[in-house]
Amino acid sequence: MKAKIKILPSDQGYNLAAKNYDKKEKYLNSFEQNKVLPLLADVAGQKILDAGAGTGRLAVELAKRGAFVTALDISGEMLKVLAGKSKYIELAVGDVEYMPFEKNAFDWVMSAFVIVHLKDPTRFFDEVYRVLKDGGKFLVTNINQKEPPEVETQEGVIKIESYYHRPEKIREILESLAFKIEKEVITKDGCVWVNKIIVAVK
């Protein structure tokens, strides 16, 4: 009989997955189809928070482009992997729903593959609004994932708690918190939507 796969919360799951996580980079990029970084345009000199940065798939590239990047993640093990990739990124272990930053601290907040792990992203979006400067922008991705994928770790295969969010609901929450939707980009696999990328302005 096949053993039941454990479903773990994000901090535990990603701590276990950290050493193997970069093997998934091509898979993760496929959800975005090279649509994310162009939306940030010229980031040189901008203060950017990558909320849920993981091992730095996007944070490292932003730092190379001259941004002052802070990487926040709930998994200290993921950030240890990131620390070995760039000395120009400030690292912070923490929860995106209770971010350890001052008000009006960032020009941009970006968040990829994060809200899929939040049952209700309202608290997170409210925190983003708090830490953004007036006129600052929030880039968030919402993947079409109804079942958490299997994740390889050194302790075997696990799943990480995940939640499906309808695109119209995410827009509704953002607008209820006084964000203005600036851009929406949908990536597709044939006729099926794969990811919705939103840029919202404070």
Side-chain angles (χ1 to χ4, degrees):
M1 185 174 173
K2 189 177 179 182
K4 189 174 181 181
I5 297 173
K6 289 182 182 177
I7 299 178
L8 299 177
S10 293
D11 54 348
Q12 295 177 35
Y14 282 114
N15 277 339
L16 289 175
K19 289 183 179 177
N20 294 318
Y21 192 74
D22 284 348
K23 295 176 183 177
K24 296 180 64 176
E25 184 164 334
K26 187 175 180 180
Y27 169 71
L28 296 174
N29 288 340
S30 73
F31 283 85
E32 296 167 355
Q33 299 173 8
N34 298 314
K35 304 290 188 185
V36 168
L37 290 171
L39 291 171
L40 280 82
D42 182 9
V43 296
Q46 300 279 295
K47 291 188 71 176
I48 299 181
L49 172 63
D50 188 351
T55 58
R57 184 176 62 91
L58 298 172
V60 170
E61 181 60 33
L62 293 170
K64 286 179 182 176
R65 296 181 182 197
F68 299 105
V69 181
T70 299
L72 173 72
D73 203 274
I74 201 165
S75 166
E77 293 301 313
M78 295 283 272
L79 291 179
K80 283 180 185 177
V81 176
L82 171 50
K85 298 178 180 180
S86 175
K87 61 183 179 180
Y88 301 108
I89 298 173
E90 184 176 333
L91 307 178
V93 178
D95 188 331
V96 296
E97 294 182 297
Y98 301 93
M99 296 198 282
F101 307 112
E102 299 290 327
K103 292 192 297 184
N104 309 315
F106 298 98
D107 299 295
W108 278 92
V109 176
M110 62 172 304
S111 184
F113 297 100
V114 173
I115 64 171
V116 71
H117 296 303
L118 302 176
K119 189 172 185 178
D120 179 356
T122 303
R123 169 75 194 180
F124 169 42
F125 291 170
D126 199 34
E127 276 288 86
V128 171
Y129 196 90
R130 182 182 67 81
V131 303
L132 272 175
K133 297 176 182 178
D134 289 342
K137 297 184 180 183
F138 177 34
L139 185 152
V140 60
T141 74
N142 178 29
I143 63 171
N144 184 0
Q145 178 179 287
K146 294 185 178 177
E147 287 292 329
E150 295 182 3
V151 178
E152 294 280 350
T153 78
Q154 292 180 316
E155 297 185 17
V157 176
I158 64 166
K159 292 184 176 182
I160 300 173
E161 275 183 341
S162 297
Y163 304 91
Y164 171 75
H165 299 294
R166 297 192 327 274
E168 62 272 19
K169 183 64 177 176
I170 296 306
R171 182 187 180 109
E172 180 184 309
I173 296 170
L174 287 166
E175 291 180 331
S176 75
L177 296 171
F179 280 103
K180 179 183 177 184
I181 306 299
E182 183 178 81
K183 292 178 184 175
E184 294 177 276
V185 176
I186 296 177
T187 63
K188 293 184 177 182
D189 181 4
C191 296
V192 179
W193 77 276
V194 173
N195 195 5
K196 185 166 187 180
I197 306 160
I198 295 176
V199 177
V201 183
K202 176 177 175 179

